[in-house]
Amino acid sequence: MKRNWMDAVKMSNIRTPMTWAAAVVFILSLFPIFALAGVDRASGDDWSFGLLTHLAWVDTHSVWRVLQAAFASVKKYYYSWQGTWFSIFLFSLQPEVFSHDAYWIVPVLMTALLTGGVSDFLYCLLVRFLHMPKRDFLLLDAVLLLVLIQFVPYQTSAVFWYNGAVHYTVPFALAMAAGACFFRYAAEFRWRDLVLASVWMTLLGGTNYLTAIFGLGMFALFTVLLFWKDRRVFFMLIPMAIEMAGLLVSALAPGNAVRGGSQYHVTAAGMIQAVGTALAVGSKGIWESFREYPVAMAAMIAAAVFMWDMLREAVPKLKLHFPCPGLVILYLWGLYCAVYWPVVFVGGSVSDGSVSVGVPNTIFWVFIFALFGSLFYGLGWICERSGGGDGNLRLPVYAAGFAAALLILGVCRADLKNSTGYVCYYYMNTGRAAVYKEQMDELTGILTDDSVEDAVVPFIVGEQGPLVHLPVMLDKDEWTNQKMALFFGKKSLVAIPRDEWEAQREIR
């Protein structure tokens, strides 16, 4: 008996070519980021936080002396600026501390950390713990990473600016690595996974408060869901407690009050009031995220189709269990709202730009994970209740899901121009990146010239695209001027209009 083409589609494993396609698209999407890496340069706070370590390296070329200077920087800023001790430690090790040609590593490193952290987490969850096929892990991993990297709101702080990425991208990768340790431990109960989870959670306690809250909430959910498997899961309360201790050390820093000024007050009433406000602001943020990232939502619709097809097979075969779906999904979105709490508590707002641009990045990443988790858990429960689902629905579900995704993509295709890859490609293709690189090389050449004590540089002109450069100003007493002068060993540093600078150079 001959089978028609519809029967062939139903019986074939369409996820295999989809996995290859998703992996290729994801890899290609990274090329513009890596191509722009050579243009990237240090800026702003990089000079300030890297000052002590840079001087130590120039004087001694000793890694140990550099680490001592890094700890000295932590102590300095802990009392004068902010308590996020691990972030400050990393701030002080920005690449130009060691070489003025080393900043290209920032976008490569940050992309690798985010990719590695998310992939490790998904692999441990899907393959090590749930025993799903590696092919299915690769498919979901490629789609998820594509969304997280390409549609992050601010590429500068996510990938290209060391100071911003270290404070937000690195902690998110740490949270993912800690979550991976949780599932490795829950699968095999090896003590080394518990110890490693404790290390990652300890460091997470010294970073930004949004990701620290996300890490705690994630561990709490996993502990509640998995205690039925083995009570040894409760040992994961140890990393949670250690992270909370690290957070306490950060929160009690004298520098927090210095930075917050006279309006900085920590009260129980204020903390409780911030909870309610965070729930309201977060609920509004959920709707705004669906509206503001249509192409990312189209990708998540495709991911939902893949999930349904995977779980339709895996749930009955592996006897997967998804209890209390309503409570779990509600908790995930409550955790999303919770990451707004630190912003609300200090009186900031994501919408008016009164917080670091790394904050919207973290909120976006948590939103995508709450959505991913809700889809996976909810679809898993549906497949469990239906005994795996009807295989005859496979073709209609794929057709409907991809039709919806393509419709959104067609209507909102302009959103593709906001993707990280396109922004990088456009910046290079228009020649702006080449102009920026030429000017930054020129600036670096002047600042590294040992014969120049009082440096005069031209203003940087042109667009910076996804990169960042806090400009040198006319006044030598400006903060940027002073920090850069100290970093490069100059008595003074000023900038003048380029035509004046070129005229002076011709006279010389």
Side-chain angles (χ1 to χ4, degrees), residues 260-293:
S262 60
Q263 297 181 344
Y264 181 80
H265 298 289
V266 178
T267 63
M271 295 171 71
I272 295 172
Q273 183 180 3
V275 171
T277 306
L279 286 172
V281 175
S283 299
K284 181 181 178 182
I286 294 172
W287 164 248
E288 290 178 345
S289 295
F290 279 111
R291 180 174 54 85
E292 291 176 1
Y293 307 106

Side-chain angles (χ1 to χ4, degrees), residues 118-162:
V118 172
S119 299
D120 189 25
F121 173 80
L122 278 186
Y123 180 83
C124 290
L125 169 60
L126 300 178
V127 180
R128 296 283 293 272
F129 185 75
L130 296 180
H131 304 292
M132 295 176 66
K134 292 180 181 178
R135 176 203 59 208
D136 292 343
F137 146 71
L138 288 172
L139 177 54
L140 291 181
D141 188 45
V143 175
L144 187 59
L145 285 171
L146 189 70
V147 172
L148 293 174
I149 295 175
Q150 291 300 316
F151 296 99
V152 65
Y154 295 97
Q155 298 94 356
T156 299
S157 284
V159 177
F160 291 101
W161 183 35
Y162 179 84

Side-chain angles (χ1 to χ4, degrees), residues 54-349:
H54 177 64
L55 294 177
W57 178 253
V58 170
D59 289 342
T60 67
H61 279 72
S62 165
V63 174
W64 173 242
R65 290 293 298 274
V66 170
L67 291 176
Q68 285 181 315
F71 286 116
S73 296
V74 173
K75 181 179 179 181
K76 171 186 174 182
Y77 288 107
Y78 185 83
Y79 285 95
S80 65
W81 179 70
Q82 189 168 283
T84 50
W85 47 272
F86 185 59
S87 287
I88 295 171
F89 178 79
L90 295 179
F91 289 165
S92 67
L93 299 176
Q94 66 103 340
E96 290 203 16
V97 163
F98 306 98
S99 170
H100 298 301
D101 298 320
Y103 209 78
W104 64 267
I105 200 173
V106 174
V108 176
L109 179 62
M110 296 308 161
T111 303
L113 286 173
L114 187 58
T115 301
V118 172
S119 299
D120 189 25
F121 173 80
L122 278 186
Y123 180 83
C124 290
L125 169 60
L126 300 178
V127 180
R128 296 283 293 272
F129 185 75
L130 296 180
H131 304 292
M132 295 176 66
K134 292 180 181 178
R135 176 203 59 208
D136 292 343
F137 146 71
L138 288 172
L139 177 54
L140 291 181
D141 188 45
V143 175
L144 187 59
L145 285 171
L146 189 70
V147 172
L148 293 174
I149 295 175
Q150 291 300 316
F151 296 99
V152 65
Y154 295 97
Q155 298 94 356
T156 299
S157 284
V159 177
F160 291 101
W161 183 35
Y162 179 84
N163 191 270
V166 153
H167 196 43
Y168 293 99
T169 303
V170 171
F172 193 79
L174 278 176
M176 293 292 98
C181 290
F182 192 111
F183 284 110
R184 282 199 297 268
Y185 177 77
E188 302 177 18
F189 295 103
R190 298 178 304 184
W191 283 99
R192 66 184 182 186
D193 294 319
L194 175 61
V195 171
L196 195 56
S198 300
V199 171
W200 299 146
M201 291 291 277
T202 300
L203 299 179
L204 191 59
T207 63
N208 75 81
Y209 301 125
L210 287 79
T211 314
I213 289 175
F214 172 63
L216 284 173
M218 183 173 60
F219 265 52
L221 175 62
F222 297 158
T223 302
V224 171
L225 287 177
L226 301 181
F227 81 95
W228 58 269
K229 184 177 185 286
D230 195 305
R231 291 188 178 182
R232 285 176 290 180
V233 167
F234 281 115
F235 278 110
M236 278 296 168
L237 295 176
I238 296 174
M240 293 176 64
I242 295 175
E243 191 209 311
M244 292 178 69
L247 272 174
L248 184 63
V249 171
S250 178
L252 294 178
N256 293 338
V258 175
R259 188 183 186 191
S262 60
Q263 297 181 344
Y264 181 80
H265 298 289
V266 178
T267 63
M271 295 171 71
I272 295 172
Q273 183 180 3
V275 171
T277 306
L279 286 172
V281 175
S283 299
K284 181 181 178 182
I286 294 172
W287 164 248
E288 290 178 345
S289 295
F290 279 111
R291 180 174 54 85
E292 291 176 1
Y293 307 106
V295 177
M297 294 306 101
M300 294 305 292
I301 290 174
V305 174
F306 298 142
M307 287 183 204
W308 173 82
D309 196 20
M310 296 170 188
L311 292 166
R312 180 185 62 82
E313 298 175 358
V315 167
K317 180 180 179 181
L318 303 174
K319 295 181 173 58
L320 302 182
H321 184 43
F322 297 87
C324 308
L327 289 176
V328 171
I329 293 173
L330 184 63
Y331 178 89
L332 286 171
W333 290 110
L335 180 58
Y336 166 78
C337 294
V339 299
Y340 281 89
W341 183 86
V343 178
V344 172
F345 180 69
V346 298
S349 172

Side-chain angles (χ1 to χ4, degrees), residues 479-492:
W479 182 88
T480 302
N481 297 44
Q482 290 183 339
K483 297 304 179 184
M484 289 184 68
L486 289 171
F487 191 92
F488 287 96
K490 304 302 179 187
K491 289 183 179 180
S492 66

